[in-house]
Amino acid sequence: MFPKFKKITLQNGLQIYHIPMNKGSGVISVDVFYNVGSRDEVMGKSGIAHMLEHLNFKSTKNRKAGEFDAIVKGFGGVNNASTGFDYTHYFIKCASSNLEVCLDLYADIMQNLSLKDKEFQPERKVVLEERLWRTDNDPFGYLFFRLYNAAFLYHPYHWTPIGFRKDIENWSIKDIKEFHAKFYQPQNAVLLITGDIGEKAAFDAAKKYFASVKNKSEIPRLHCTEPAQDGEKLSVIYKNSEAQIVAVAFKIPPFNHPDAAAIKAMDIYLSGGKSSLLQRVLVDEKKLANQINIYDMSAKDENLFIVFAVCNQGVSGEALRSEILALIEKAKKAKISDDDMLKIKNTLSSDLIYSLDSASKVAQMYGSYIVRGDLDALFRLEREIKSLDKSAVKKAMKTYLSLKSSTSIILRKENDE
């Protein structure tokens, strides 16, 4: 199922992967993952990893601001980037013939980024606007941010990658430069060249552009471990919203834990499709909610398994939360039917296959596991899905869907009881 790959590591520590696929398509995905995300920030300087993602498309010693995007667009490519809790990802999808241009662009921003204050200040305003429309003015975004504030006390998952507004307003260009110098180094990066290109051509080109890039310093690593949660948390927050929204989150182990497949199975059993437990009972039968979604936020460290639910008019968040928790308790004790188990395994298998059906998806999947330090966890996942049984799913629900490790937030208008 998994495309084969070859790997080399340059003397400067840069890991380079060649993943051949879609022969004859003439298309490749060129991806760079940096082992840095909001997890690597400190309180008072939150959001810097995301800010730096924006600034990587500004000027370098060799190119003007915007030239990166213009060059990619000029040869018909598509590029973008994203910042998460654990890593930052840049990609270019293009014709195989443009590989060297892509590598030249990536090597340039790794070692020659200008980071000028006159480019930083306007981009700070862009990020503040992004925070405004995605978090502050969006009930779901605001609830998501506040959920992490409540669930994590000590670990940097206490904030999401956008960061706190006051931190965004108070960064200095010095802060940005220091963060770039620490984390944007070849020893902290992974380059993937995926698609219709030969191994020799891929590795030769990568060496040409990256072998001479120097490291600047040791990479600082996180020492914060979240204290064990010692009781359920429940908060009510007030925000202008047409309906009350409920979030119930439970702590789950890192992405490469042996229970990873069982945790994904919990998601499908509880909310995967019309026949799933929460959807069937809360939306269709009792009509308490009009929307139920679950997010498995598995990450490098302990993270969250989140149930989001939107109340129907006249239904209180407290009532819906109580029903969600009651159904979860019921699910822990009830038998899982053969049909449900078959659906779970088929869905997990098809989702995995779908995530590997193009060069860009393969690069995203492989890169996300490699940069977090465990590609084998991806290969184990296929085996774990095949061997998954009812007892493993039941055990996971009993282990992780514990009220003691839960954090719940109800969002509603003030005075909307």
Side-chain angles (χ1 to χ4, degrees), residues 18-36:
H18 170 247
I19 310 171
M21 58 184 296
N22 299 337
K23 189 173 181 181
S25 67
V27 175
I28 57 171
S29 183
V30 188
D31 298 64
V32 175
F33 287 79
Y34 286 95
N35 185 11
V36 60

Side-chain angles (χ1 to χ4, degrees), residues 43 148-156 158 226-227 230 233 251:
M43 181 68 83
Y148 273 89
N149 298 165
F152 292 93
L153 301 174
Y154 176 60
H155 192 285
H158 177 64
E226 183 69 13
D230 50 9
K233 303 176 185 178
K251 297 285 176 61

